[in-house]
Amino acid sequence: MNKKKYMVKRNLSTCLFPWIFWTLAFVVITAFPVNAQQGNQPETQNLFWPPAPAETRIRFVESFTSPEDMGLKKRNFGRTIRDLLTGRVSRSLVRPYGIVIGSDGESIYITDPGAGAFHLYDRKKNRYRKLTNVKGVRLRSPIDVAMDPRGRLFISDSELASVFVLNQRLKLLTVLGPAENLQRPTGVSYRKGRLFVVDTLGNNIVVYDENLDFLFDFGTRGTGNGEFNYPTGITVSPEDRVYINDSMNFRIQEFDMDGDFVRSFGHPGDSSGSFNRSKGLSTDSDGNLYVVDALFETVQMFDSAGTFLMNFGESGEGPGQFWMPSGIAIDSEDRIYVADSYNSRIQVFQYVKGGANHE
């Protein structure tokens, strides 16, 4: 190589290096933005429901979209550049859906169909993990997640028509679904040695025992008691009440642990207590049932008999506001985790037992 060509290449590399560096820096900054409050968002302090002068029942706590928001293992610049170059760009939530909280209250497990991923946030161990495939099988649409007392995780993937069973180290134990001809598993819930799986396209609920053997199923397509029209969410309360979101019948149906019908409530409409696109379900320590409605962009609260009590949240991007919310989980301390799906975050609220005066 002659000297002139060498000098030209050297000059080009000298000029290009700062450009490449600052371009990558810009991508990093935009890929991992600082979660600053916008000017029109409501103040997070004193954000509570219902409004004064009524006593506070629900209080906003925090929101997060990445492990950094929770103070977990901040990534260094060099690692971020390497991840960008190898295609592992973001650890942030894309479109979170299902949530379950570990028994210690410090571990949060989240399905993310928008990213085709499953996230683990562990505050106690200060760690974060993101799972995109299970033993070589790429997750396509992970919808919901449940956990049993042994720490086994049950992740439904609606497109793969399977429920993946993992241990606490996120290692595959077995796969449920093919043998039972699951068509589109969505909601999952575990209680007292029974795993309940909602099959949305099958319009039924499939139940497994503690050893994950098929036990029974219940439900069929229809509008009568015990019949479903594309059910989705499910939760089993500490009082052994099985609540199922009968989505396109615009109602919640309640069953006992053996699948026997108890009652139903709800109807289509735009008034309190009615449903449009209801999604996730959960219960608090007082037995109140919480129902997330994606199109109303709110969470409705009912007592154990199905009587409407109140709702919280509205449409928007600020704290306490939602954009197509989906899943919900409530821990032993009555902290309420809501998957604010299209705002790409989890919002956390606190149920105030007995109520409290506004500060």
Side-chain angles (χ1 to χ4, degrees):
M1 182 183 297
N2 62 46
K3 186 175 182 180
K4 186 175 181 180
K5 288 183 177 180
Y6 172 77
M7 291 302 294
V8 169
K9 288 189 175 183
R10 183 179 178 184
N11 289 337
L12 281 174
S13 63
T14 304
C15 294
L16 286 174
F17 180 77
W19 182 85
I20 294 172
F21 176 85
W22 288 112
T23 299
L24 286 173
F26 173 77
V27 172
V28 171
I29 291 170
T30 55
F32 302 98
V34 177
N35 293 325
Q37 295 283 329
Q38 297 182 5
N40 294 327
Q41 293 180 351
E43 295 291 334
T44 57
Q45 60 182 2
N46 300 325
L47 190 56
F48 40 67
W49 297 264
E55 289 186 330
T56 298
R57 292 291 179 174
I58 303 293
R59 177 173 54 84
F60 176 83
V61 177
E62 63 177 342
S63 68
F64 63 90
T65 190
S66 70
E68 287 75 21
D69 293 339
M70 303 179 71
L72 302 179
K73 287 188 177 180
K74 295 183 181 296
R75 57 200 298 123
N76 60 52
F77 183 79
R79 182 184 299 175
T80 300
I81 294 295
R82 186 179 70 243
D83 287 354
L84 284 168
L85 293 175
T86 57
R88 296 180 303 214
V89 177
S90 177
R91 308 199 306 174
S92 297
L93 298 169
V94 176
R95 184 163 52 85
Y97 198 106
I99 313 167
V100 71
I101 313 300
S103 58
D104 60 1
E106 299 293 335
S107 303
I108 306 169
Y109 304 85
I110 301 169
T111 58
D112 188 346
F118 176 68
H119 305 265
L120 161 62
Y121 300 81
D122 192 334
R123 281 174 161 160
K124 186 176 182 179
K125 296 181 180 179
N126 188 32
R127 66 171 179 164
Y128 162 82
R129 288 191 62 185
K130 179 179 179 180
L131 191 71
T132 57
N133 67 81
V134 180
K135 209 167 186 179
V137 178
R138 175 82 182 185
L139 294 174
R140 294 184 184 174
S141 184
I143 296 296
D144 203 5
V145 55
M147 176 183 280
D148 71 4
R150 292 160 57 180
R152 292 183 299 182
L153 292 161
F154 307 93
I155 303 171
S156 63
D157 191 305
S158 60
E159 288 192 25
L160 294 176
S162 299
V163 176
F164 296 98
V165 185
L166 311 180
N167 63 18
Q168 286 184 305
R169 297 193 300 172
L170 304 188
K171 301 299 182 182
L172 181 66
L173 298 176
T174 189
V175 180
L176 305 175
E180 298 75 36
N181 196 30
L182 290 180
Q183 299 178 54
R184 197 171 185 86
T186 51
V188 289
S189 188
Y190 190 95
R191 173 74 178 164
K192 284 188 175 178
R194 292 186 177 182
L195 173 67
F196 296 81
V197 179
V198 177
D199 188 350
T200 297
L201 286 185
N203 290 289
N204 69 338
I205 314 302
V206 180
V207 186
Y208 300 85
D209 65 17
E210 186 175 11
N211 297 319
L212 304 182
D213 293 322
F214 173 79
L215 201 57
F216 63 91
D217 61 40
F218 62 95
T220 187
R221 182 75 181 273
T223 59
N225 294 337
E227 298 177 338
F228 301 105
N229 190 11
Y230 299 110
T232 52
I234 184 172
T235 191
V236 185
S237 74
E239 295 76 31
D240 299 337
R241 299 169 182 263
V242 182
Y243 295 102
I244 298 168
N245 175 14
D246 188 6
S247 186
M248 297 309 294
N249 278 328
F250 305 98
R251 64 184 179 182
I252 303 299
Q253 293 201 63
E254 179 187 335
F255 299 83
D256 64 19
M257 292 286 286
D258 295 321
D260 294 322
F261 175 81
V262 176
R263 66 166 66 88
S264 69
F265 59 92
H267 52 83
D270 56 7
S271 60
S272 298
S274 61
F275 301 117
N276 198 324
R277 286 293 183 273
S278 51
K279 298 288 186 179
L281 308 171
S282 193
T283 57
D284 63 28
S285 61
D286 285 337
N288 299 312
L289 176 68
Y290 297 70
V291 182
V292 178
D293 198 300
L295 288 190
F296 286 157
E297 297 181 319
T298 193
V299 179
Q300 299 195 69
M301 188 174 169
F302 301 82
D303 67 15
S304 58
T307 302
F308 174 78
L309 299 176
M310 60 169 285
N311 69 290
F312 62 94
E314 59 185 9
S315 179
E317 300 177 0
Q321 298 176 335
F322 301 113
W323 184 11
M324 296 288 286
S326 52
I328 184 172
I330 302 176
D331 68 14
S332 59
E333 301 297 321
D334 282 328
R335 287 185 293 259
I336 306 162
Y337 297 76
V338 181
D340 189 5
S341 291
Y342 281 80
N343 278 324
S344 303
R345 65 185 178 183
I346 303 297
Q347 295 202 65
V348 186
F349 304 82
Q350 179 69 55
Y351 168 60
V352 182
K353 291 177 68 70
N357 292 326
H358 290 290
E359 296 180 359

